[in-house]
Amino acid sequence: MPHAPRPPILPDPVPVSYRRMLTVALGTMLGMGPGMASGNDNTPATPPVTTRASTPAHLPAAPTETMTVTSQHVVGTQPGGGLIRVEDAPKSVSTIGTDFMRKQAPSATAFDMVSLLPGANVSSSDALGFSPQTNIAVRGLSGDSLGYILEGMPLNDIAYYNGYPGQFADTENYQSVSLQQGSADLDAPVLNAAGGLMDMSFRDPSMKAGGYADVSYGSYNTNRQFLRLETGQIGHTGLRGFVSYSHGYTDNWRGPGHDERQHIDFKFLREWGAGNRVSLIGTWNTMVASYYPPVDKADWQAQGPHGAANNLAATYNPHDAAGGTDYWALYRQPERIAYLAAPARFTLADSLHLKVTPYAQWSYGNDPSGTTMGDSGLCSGAGSCDENAVVRANWTQTSYRSGFNATLDWQLGNHDLVFGYWYDYSDDSEHQPFTSVNAQGTAADIWVDRISRTLLQPDGQQVDAGSYHMISQTNALYIGDRMHFLNHRLMVDVGFKEVMLDRHGTTTSDNVQTAAGSNSATPLPRIAIRYRISPRHMVFFNTTTNFRTPDETALFGGVTASGVATQLKNEYSVSEELGYRYNGDLIIGSLTLFNYDFTNREIQTQIGQVESTINGGGQTSRGVDVEIGMRPWHHFAPYLSGEYLHATIDSDIPSSSGMLATRGKTAVESPTLQASAGLSYDDGHIFGMASVHYTGRQYSTFMNDERMPDHTTGNLAIGYRMDDHAFLSHPEFRMNFNNITNQHYLSGVATPTLTKADGPQYYVGGGLAVLFTASTGF
């Protein structure tokens, strides 16, 4: 376990009340303060479970005139308005705190929370966070190159590595969200984290019974309701917990359709002795989302976001140019997920600690589209010859996953030794059945729960245009030693991880092998050094290795950039960081230089009409990240961040027409410049947050013959927090204005391609959205 931070040295005598105020302020800035509103006074602060690489640093006391204690939590004390905190890790990491999260729209996702951090480039399809069509890139590495964990439980899609933030948790239940821009921790249970790690934690349950509720209404008929109930201490068991439920609905901001989401989070916790704690956390999410079609640049320039070419049809017409296959209801996307984990840590002896996290997950989703019997080649298979008949082409994915991660930490003199083992088992099935539609273009069953409601062959078997079934097992062993010298001013952290991945699966797709398998073992060494020059100045250096296997479908060959079915090689990368941190009485900040060298760079793209993963060869990415935040000064707390990125392709890439001269070209999805600024105000009653984000131009083709223009967006939040009234704890009223200038912009590259002729497509950023929220504890 990490060493506890040393308390600040205070002159004696110090008044008890003043000392208590400093303690509360210090705990809050460290991310250790009470969580979001529980409606109870004096909720004890509980330190979050930190990794070996993220021990909080010694801090000077914050100015006391900016600290306001309410029955919800300590507000207005976090540097940069909650966008930055003092970090001690020997690598780049940025953490979002509750001061910032409490000012965002309640529908915002974890991606939205980190969008102002250095290196983060979030591509969204709507302004309020409902649409699952969102992505994040960090330092030019897309979201499938990041790891996602919630209190030690991995959340990546087991087949394609992506993260779906709308499924993770409700915003009101987060205690913190951290983005490690360079690499994952040694003990992180992830496979694909060359681009870094997003680490999320739930708030701890309150010590007293109560609750929290909010309701929201705004643009596009958006309405959302949230309720969290706190048990408080349950008798004399030492157990406490919370359960929350939320419901949200919104109409599509462009084109027809609507999204509806229901979500449950819970956490139960028991603590005892010195550092012993066991919790049970869970999430259940169900959603039916509408589809925002990505656009090509020509249609976007000609028609903008509301043009017919860029949206689905509002009515069903089998006689239009698309033959009715563009009707919006044919693209409704249902999904359900359930996550369960039991993170625990135990003090076995004064210097010996055990951390273990068992978990289990289930997920189901359907990514459908409209097509005709003829286009799908179903006439003979389905016993029908009406080639013009419109059908719903489903693509269903059902996944089961379970595993555990165990870490033993032994402090021996100036050594902090860690030994760990991670095991993960997953079972993923994907199918493409078809569903007939009625005269109104509506399918009888969008969930495809019953085979009888899908198209059947004459022999009664389900028509299935393609299917995959994959079983994967991961075994990872890791060992590390964190060594302290010079009275803990110098720290050297060395580690080694061996990841063994076994995959075996079958497919029924035509013209592709029926069975495939792979077995790989990859050694991953690392080293990190941190030197504390003084209590205010710190430097660090690290070098880390990462690897990633191709996604599930690529194991069967599929379509590659050269048009030839072949098994892709594992991606391997080596990254280095050199950084400096400053921790002053008023200003804190960091500057990080980084370098990546990739071999067999894996990039998700589109070849013709087929989603695929290609081997992009070698790639070198270099740049600098900077972020600066001010501790609250007269209730104001500004924040600035920026990144310069130079990412180049080091290899020519094969295509169906020969080798493409891509060597020396700029890598796709890699904007050269990004910058963010935020200004927070919070005096305990009146509060607000204004932010602006700039994303530079980025290429969408490997040949650099088409690029997405730059864009700048701004958000604003204003609100008022009242005193207690009757049983209501500090009722609060807030207005959020997202994309306040109503910019019409392309927010990200949806499908990078080899050349402009292949037709790269883009996400369309959401328009202006206004959301009013009323909330209270009780």
Side-chain angles (χ1 to χ4, degrees):
M1 295 296 295
H3 299 295
R6 297 177 181 176
I9 300 175
L10 299 175
D12 290 321
V14 177
V16 174
S17 59
Y18 184 65
R19 184 187 300 232
R20 182 178 181 275
M21 291 175 67
L22 286 175
T23 303
V24 173
L26 176 64
T28 302
M29 290 185 294
L30 290 172
M32 297 163 58
M36 296 180 184
S38 65
N40 301 290
D41 292 321
N42 304 322
T43 301
T46 302
V49 180
T50 57
T51 63
R52 287 169 46 84
S54 57
T55 306
H58 169 79
L59 283 175
T64 57
E65 69 271 16
T66 64
M67 188 193 71
T68 303
V69 181
T70 75
S71 62
Q72 295 186 341
H73 62 163
V74 180
V75 296
T77 63
Q78 296 177 344
L83 281 165
I84 190 173
R85 75 175 185 185
V86 176
E87 303 286 356
D88 197 41
K91 61 179 179 181
S92 60
V93 57
S94 302
T95 301
I96 300 298
T98 53
D99 268 6
F100 178 75
M101 289 189 285
R102 288 283 297 165
K103 295 178 177 67
Q104 305 312 298
S107 57
T109 68
F111 285 6
D112 299 319
M113 295 297 173
V114 302
S115 61
L116 299 178
L117 300 183
N121 179 15
V122 176
S123 306
S124 60
S125 297
D126 75 315
L128 291 172
F130 279 86
S131 175
Q133 292 165 256
T134 184
N135 194 16
I136 185 173
V138 177
R139 295 177 178 174
L141 304 176
S142 191
D144 59 328
S145 296
L146 271 69
Y148 308 95
I149 60 174
L150 175 63
E151 301 214 6
M153 171 175 55
L155 299 177
N156 292 76
D157 183 308
I158 61 177
Y160 305 101
Y161 301 119
N162 294 306
Y164 307 105
Q167 301 175 353
F168 294 167
D170 276 329
T171 301
E172 295 91 339
N173 294 328
Y174 284 125
Q175 172 68 24
S176 66
V177 179
S178 294
L179 181 64
Q180 300 177 20
Q181 292 94 338
S183 61
D185 295 322
L186 176 67
D187 59 354
V190 291
L191 281 172
N192 59 307
L197 181 74
M198 183 177 291
D199 189 355
M200 296 155 282
S201 65
F202 275 157
R203 65 183 304 280
D204 278 350
S206 172
M207 297 292 289
K208 295 183 179 180
Y212 175 80
D214 62 51
V215 293
S216 304
Y217 184 79
S219 304
Y220 318 115
N221 292 319
T222 301
N223 64 85
R224 184 179 182 275
Q225 308 82 38
F226 173 88
L227 174 65
R228 181 176 63 237
L229 298 177
E230 303 270 4
T231 68
Q233 290 278 9
I234 302 175
H236 299 288
T237 64
L239 184 68
R240 65 186 194 270
F242 72 78
V243 178
S244 71
Y245 168 80
S246 70
H247 168 268
Y249 173 94
T250 186
D251 288 335
N252 279 20
W253 76 273
R254 68 176 179 95
H258 56 266
D259 300 337
E260 187 167 11
R261 173 183 181 266
Q262 297 184 77
H263 189 92
I264 294 174
D265 290 326
F266 66 84
K267 180 175 183 178
F268 288 85
L269 171 67
R270 190 179 189 280
E271 298 175 294
W272 71 96
N276 297 295
R277 61 184 275 147
V278 176
S279 59
L280 178 67
I281 65 170
T283 287
W284 176 82
N285 189 88
T286 182
M287 183 172 187
V288 179
S290 292
Y291 183 62
Y292 287 104
V295 304
D296 61 43
K297 199 171 182 180
D299 285 340
W300 167 258
Q301 292 174 335
Q303 299 192 21
H306 301 290
N310 297 330
N311 293 287
L312 296 174
T315 58
Y316 178 61
N317 183 4
H319 305 294
D320 64 13
T325 60
D326 60 345
Y327 179 47
W328 74 271
L330 295 172
Y331 293 77
R332 298 181 69 200
Q333 303 173 333
E335 62 181 34
R336 289 192 182 109
I337 64 96
Y339 299 141
L340 186 67
R345 75 172 188 256
F346 306 98
T347 299
L348 306 181
D350 288 342
S351 59
L352 190 63
H353 307 272
L354 174 66
K355 183 171 66 175
V356 60
T357 304
Y359 58 87
Q361 302 171 4
W362 170 85
S363 64
Y364 169 85
N366 185 5
D367 188 10
S369 62
T371 188
T372 63
M373 299 283 284
D375 290 339
S376 299
L378 295 176
C379 278
S380 60
S384 171
C385 292
D386 184 1
E387 295 188 355
N388 296 321
V390 176
V391 294
R392 175 183 163 103
N394 306 281
W395 186 263
T396 65
Q397 180 183 9
T398 304
S399 301
Y400 303 91
R401 185 179 191 180
S402 61
F404 69 92
N405 189 27
T407 305
L408 188 65
D409 196 298
W410 184 22
Q411 296 174 8
L412 184 64
N414 68 328
H415 295 269
D416 187 0
L417 303 171
V418 61
F419 309 89
Y421 172 61
W422 171 42
Y423 174 76
D424 184 272
Y425 176 91
S426 65
D427 186 324
D428 183 65
S429 297
E430 303 182 34
H431 298 272
Q432 190 174 31
F434 296 84
T435 310
S436 60
V437 300
N438 59 23
Q440 290 74 43
T442 303
D445 180 15
I446 66 172
W447 291 92
V448 198
D449 284 337
R450 287 183 280 177
I451 293 179
S452 60
R453 292 191 174 186
T454 63
L455 294 180
L456 304 177
Q457 297 178 9
D459 62 1
Q461 296 296 311
Q462 185 181 67
V463 175
D464 199 337
S467 67
Y468 299 95
H469 180 219
M470 180 70 63
I471 292 178
S472 304
Q473 293 190 76
T474 302
N475 289 271
L477 296 169
Y478 50 91
I479 183 172
D481 184 7
R482 172 184 285 179
M483 296 164 280
H484 297 275
F485 306 98
L486 304 177
N487 195 27
H488 282 233
R489 293 176 63 184
L490 174 65
M491 186 270 288
V492 179
D493 196 349
V494 296
F496 178 83
K497 193 173 190 175
E498 179 83 5
V499 179
M500 296 154 280
L501 176 62
D502 178 79
R503 275 181 163 176
H504 287 87
T506 58
T507 179
T508 59
S509 302
D510 294 336
N511 303 318
V512 182
Q513 63 193 102
T514 58
S518 68
N519 196 305
S520 60
T522 307
L524 301 173
R526 60 173 61 200
I527 184 171
I529 301 172
R530 184 208 68 206
Y531 181 69
R532 191 183 304 280
I533 302 172
S534 72
R536 301 187 185 279
H537 302 275
M538 177 196 304
V539 293
F540 64 87
F541 169 80
N542 67 73
T543 181
T544 307
T545 55
N546 293 281
F547 96 109
R548 168 184 159 180
T549 61
D551 66 43
E552 182 176 290
T553 56
L555 185 64
F556 297 103
V559 180
T560 65
S562 61
V564 178
T566 183
Q567 186 166 319
L568 299 180
K569 297 180 180 179
N570 289 344
E571 174 186 284
Y572 189 81
S573 65
V574 180
S575 63
E576 299 92 16
E577 290 182 326
L578 176 63
Y580 163 78
R581 291 195 181 101
Y582 175 75
N583 171 26
D585 291 332
L586 190 62
I587 301 293
I588 64 174
S590 65
L591 176 73
T592 305
L593 307 176
F594 59 86
N595 177 76
Y596 297 86
D597 289 298
F598 288 92
T599 303
N600 300 315
R601 176 83 170 94
E602 291 180 11
I603 300 175
Q604 291 186 358
T605 184
Q606 182 168 311
I607 309 299
Q609 298 299 314
V610 180
E611 296 290 338
S612 183
T613 299
I614 71 169
N615 185 335
Q619 179 177 317
T620 300
S621 300
R622 294 178 177 138
V624 57
D625 284 340
V626 60
E627 66 175 338
I628 302 172
M630 180 184 290
R631 302 182 194 276
W633 180 76
H634 296 287
H635 309 300
F636 286 97
Y639 171 84
L640 295 171
S641 74
E643 178 178 272
Y644 169 78
L645 174 65
H646 181 68
T648 57
I649 303 171
D650 299 335
S651 308
D652 291 337
I653 297 177
S655 72
S656 57
S657 58
M659 299 296 292
L660 293 177
T662 54
R663 184 188 300 268
K665 302 288 186 182
T666 300
V668 297
E669 301 180 275
S670 300
T672 302
L673 293 175
Q674 290 190 91
S676 298
L679 179 62
S680 173
Y681 178 87
D682 196 331
D683 66 5
H685 289 293
I686 299 172
F687 62 88
M689 178 78 190
S691 64
V692 61
H693 181 75
Y694 169 79
T695 303
R697 297 176 296 182
Q698 52 190 296
Y699 286 104
S700 55
T701 65
F702 291 87
M703 283 298 294
N704 290 177
D705 52 2
E706 182 169 309
R707 64 186 179 188
M708 191 187 86
D710 60 356
H711 61 272
T712 303
T713 57
N715 297 337
L716 175 67
I718 55 175
Y720 184 77
R721 189 181 299 114
M722 302 173 64
D723 292 327
D724 289 350
H725 287 274
F727 66 93
L728 301 180
S729 297
H730 287 265
E732 183 178 293
F733 304 95
R734 180 170 76 254
M735 293 284 291
N736 288 98
F737 303 84
N738 290 351
N739 189 9
I740 191 170
T741 57
N742 197 25
Q743 293 291 310
H744 291 172
Y745 67 103
L746 300 177
S747 66
V749 181
T751 54
T753 58
L754 296 176
T755 67
K756 179 178 180 179
D758 295 321
Q761 294 186 314
Y762 306 88
Y763 296 110
V764 178
L768 167 66
V770 182
L771 194 68
F772 170 77
T773 302
S775 62
T776 186
F778 56 88

